[in-house]
Amino acid sequence: MPTEETTQPPVQPPVQPPAQGSIRPTEEAAPEPARIGDELASRKTSGPGLRAPIVTMACYLALAIAVTWRLWADPASRTVAGNPGDADLFAWYMRYAANALGHGRLPGLVTTTLNAPSGINLMWNSSMLLPCILLTPVTLAFGPQVSLTVLTTIGFAGSAAAMWWVLRRWQASPLAAALGGAVYGFSPALLHSAIGHYDLQFAVLPPLIVDAALRLAVPGRAVRRSQVDLRPQFGQGIRLGLLVTAELFISEELTLTTALACVLIVGVLAASCPRAAIRQAALSAYGLVVAAGVTLVLAGWALWTQFAGPLTQSGTPFLRDFYVNDLTGFVTPSALLLFHSSSSAAAAAAYQGEAPEYLAYLGWPLIIVAAIAAIWFWRRPPVRAMAVTAAVLAVFSLGGHLLVSGTTHQSVTLPWHWVEQLPLAGSILPDRLSILVDGAVAALLAFAIDTAKEWLAQAREARRADDARGADNARRVGRARPSRQRVRAALAGATAVLACLPLVPLPLQAATALPLPVGWTAAFAALRLPQGARVLVVPVPEVHLTAAMRWDADSRQQIALIGGYFIGPAWNGLAYVDGNGLTPTAAYLDELWAVGLRPGSALGQVATEAGLTQPGAPPSSSQVKADFGTWRPAAIVAVTPRYSALADYLTSLFGDPTVTAGQVLAWRR
């Protein structure tokens, strides 16, 4: 840790600050609420010019590349191992947006290019429209998987950089902010989210949203009523509205959890000085109205489409108390972290929500250091606000009932049980609050480091003043005690760094995405389908079988897929994964497709993971006729050998294939 200069100006009699919580009676003196604002919201930060930001950002980028280097070894075809279905889904989103922009239009919010002919509402799905649009040049030039690799790398480095920038704005020292940024940007929550949950792993905007919200809520300095200027609030309101709008088009769930974190932080600061909160309330409300106006102007149509447009739905497709943090997960490292054991990795792998949702881990050292810092520096508003926010969100992340070592204790009812009854709260998966928990802990750590450093400096100043009045030994003590203070400051910083070591990540494991089947491009070229033609691809895509979506994304065909992996309304209007699911005909076609696949082959592995077994009885002819009457495909494309069980069945329905190319058979309708 850097230390303050040892050379000091002439010693002045020490001035005793007012007791914490006291308010000075004179107008010129700043009351405690203003001191909180001055402590938190000073616009100027100290630091050695541009050198510290450049070095810090370079370190973040280097670490992000180190974590993702296995992807960069072949970015066009390698994806993070462990969640191929979601990787295929997001690759499809990338291609969908790129195709739309490539034809001179914005991607539609409701589209029939998936789950044709019914379509899907993209606002109810994690479609990541903003990143997909921004990365369109990369997608068109190099393919969707390269875009996802770029997004993952930016997600790590950008999230860390955003936290660093916010902490510096709130007066954290460069090194404390750098550590806080690294804790957040490379936290286990973001590391595990990188396993297919690209919308959550790209957590760049939440720190910026919290910063903008606090700028509206926290007064920077004491001012007379006649000096109130609405222009700063107007500007901050616009900034907050823009950030919220952007996050809505990245992850609506992360927008909601960030809003919850903002409420907690502002609530703690308001409770610390209620009179200032009351005086600031009108200004804050004005800024929030501006922010809401900006958001409605920019995202109002999208929100209307989601809640009042086509394919609206209600409820959540996920089971309650399933995607929740296991209490032991906070201290059990997974195999993705450098410091883990075989037993801890096995325990983490047994988590019911699987690896992409194993987000809780912080480690005993960081938990203990954060708890001690919160207690020791409790009187500091920044520390208090971050500590309460982290603790409350951590409790919420446990869900409605306690989960310990894989066992749910229904007798233990937790606060989230009542929170999830609120509007929209039920759509939040509690374990994903860990992303905001890690952000609050990172900020707490940074503020605690600087507070410890400041306290040590104050103690040094006080002792020097006493020694100066003590006369004879002043020179000797002036040489000795600063050295001890430097040691203590360095020890405090070293303790913080050591507490973060259990969070050091390993490079992400990579897997090869399914390549295009031999003959895929030639078959579509021979079919000469019009743009947007409806195509039944076998295997018919669904949540556990996304191969066709990957092939559609990696090719440049403009087709509308029948079936798909999505969240949509079922017949009763409730949200389900895959909506009504596959029809009997589609399910039978998938079962036939799996017959004869070699278990060790790539497609055989896909079929095994999808749980495809021996086909049952074929659907009735009336059922087949009804399903094809609903689909009305322009073509049927099957990835199967010429004389397979699937090929024989389709030939019995439609005659000989129109096109045979490699592993692909196709019938033009």
Side-chain angles (χ1 to χ4, degrees), residues 223-233 279-280 283:
V223 295
R224 295 181 177 87
R225 292 180 183 274
S226 60
Q227 296 175 321
V228 172
D229 185 356
L230 294 178
R231 286 176 297 178
Q233 298 296 103
R279 286 197 295 269
Q280 184 71 10
L283 290 173

Side-chain angles (χ1 to χ4, degrees), residues 297-325:
V297 168
L298 298 177
W301 174 252
L303 294 174
W304 184 92
T305 301
Q306 178 174 2
F307 294 105
L311 300 174
T312 58
Q313 53 197 276
S314 59
T316 174
F318 304 107
L319 295 174
R320 288 187 175 179
D321 286 343
F322 186 79
Y323 292 108
V324 299
N325 279 338

Side-chain angles (χ1 to χ4, degrees), residues 189-552:
L190 294 191
L191 190 69
H192 278 264
S193 294
I195 307 176
H197 291 172
Y198 298 93
D199 56 326
L200 300 175
Q201 188 268 343
F202 190 80
V204 175
L205 296 187
L208 304 180
I209 292 174
V210 173
D211 171 67
L214 289 179
R215 294 285 162 180
L216 290 177
V218 178
R221 54 184 58 84
V223 295
R224 295 181 177 87
R225 292 180 183 274
S226 60
Q227 296 175 321
V228 172
D229 185 356
L230 294 178
R231 286 176 297 178
Q233 298 296 103
F234 182 78
Q236 289 298 332
I238 291 177
R239 177 170 170 257
L240 178 59
L242 292 173
L243 290 169
V244 170
T245 300
E247 187 59 46
L248 282 172
F249 290 107
I250 299 173
S251 170
E252 286 186 295
E253 184 176 10
L254 201 51
T255 305
L256 289 174
T257 56
T258 303
L260 177 58
C262 290
V263 169
L264 291 172
I265 295 171
V266 172
V268 174
L269 293 177
S272 301
C273 44
R275 282 184 288 182
I278 294 173
R279 286 197 295 269
Q280 184 71 10
L283 290 173
S284 300
Y286 171 74
L288 289 175
V289 169
V290 172
V294 171
T295 301
L296 287 176
V297 168
L298 298 177
W301 174 252
L303 294 174
W304 184 92
T305 301
Q306 178 174 2
F307 294 105
L311 300 174
T312 58
Q313 53 197 276
S314 59
T316 174
F318 304 107
L319 295 174
R320 288 187 175 179
D321 286 343
F322 186 79
Y323 292 108
V324 299
N325 279 338
D326 192 309
L327 186 62
T328 60
F330 287 98
V331 294
T332 306
S334 73
L336 272 64
L337 301 175
L338 177 61
F339 298 103
H340 71 274
S341 63
S342 57
S343 60
S344 72
Y351 170 63
Q352 63 186 26
E354 300 185 344
E357 300 287 347
Y358 190 75
L359 312 179
Y361 183 73
L362 287 172
W364 277 118
L366 184 56
I367 292 174
I368 292 172
V369 167
I372 293 174
I375 295 171
W376 197 264
F377 305 126
W378 181 258
R379 297 175 69 185
R380 286 296 179 94
V383 173
R384 183 162 63 244
M386 294 302 112
V388 172
T389 300
V392 172
L393 292 179
V395 172
F396 283 167
S397 75
L398 297 173
H401 297 88
L402 187 63
L403 176 68
V404 182
S405 298
T407 301
T408 300
H409 298 269
Q410 294 292 339
S411 60
V412 182
T413 302
L414 299 174
W416 189 256
H417 174 74
W418 293 280
V419 175
E420 66 184 352
Q421 309 299 327
L422 299 175
L424 298 179
S427 61
I428 297 173
L429 300 187
D431 65 296
R432 296 177 179 180
L433 291 166
S434 296
I435 295 173
L436 280 304
V437 172
D438 292 351
V441 170
L444 166 63
L445 191 66
F447 291 139
I449 290 172
D450 285 341
T451 301
K453 178 181 173 183
E454 179 184 339
W455 280 22
L456 291 171
Q458 290 174 352
R460 183 179 66 188
E461 292 295 330
R463 289 174 180 173
R464 280 193 166 188
D466 291 342
D467 291 340
R469 289 195 299 269
D472 291 340
N473 62 345
R475 185 173 300 174
R476 176 179 58 82
V477 175
R479 289 193 300 266
R481 284 185 173 162
S483 176
R484 289 200 298 270
Q485 299 300 337
R486 286 196 299 270
V487 171
R488 292 173 183 173
L491 182 60
T495 300
V497 172
L498 290 174
C500 298
L501 285 182
L503 307 185
V504 174
L506 288 171
L508 291 167
Q509 295 295 321
T512 301
L514 277 177
L516 284 176
V518 176
W520 177 277
T521 302
F524 275 96
L527 287 171
R528 299 181 181 274
L529 297 173
Q531 179 181 332
R534 197 178 299 169
V535 179
L536 176 67
V537 175
V538 186
V540 184
E542 48 97 10
V543 60
H544 301 297
L545 190 59
T546 56
M549 296 176 64
R550 167 63 69 171
W551 298 331
D552 186 31

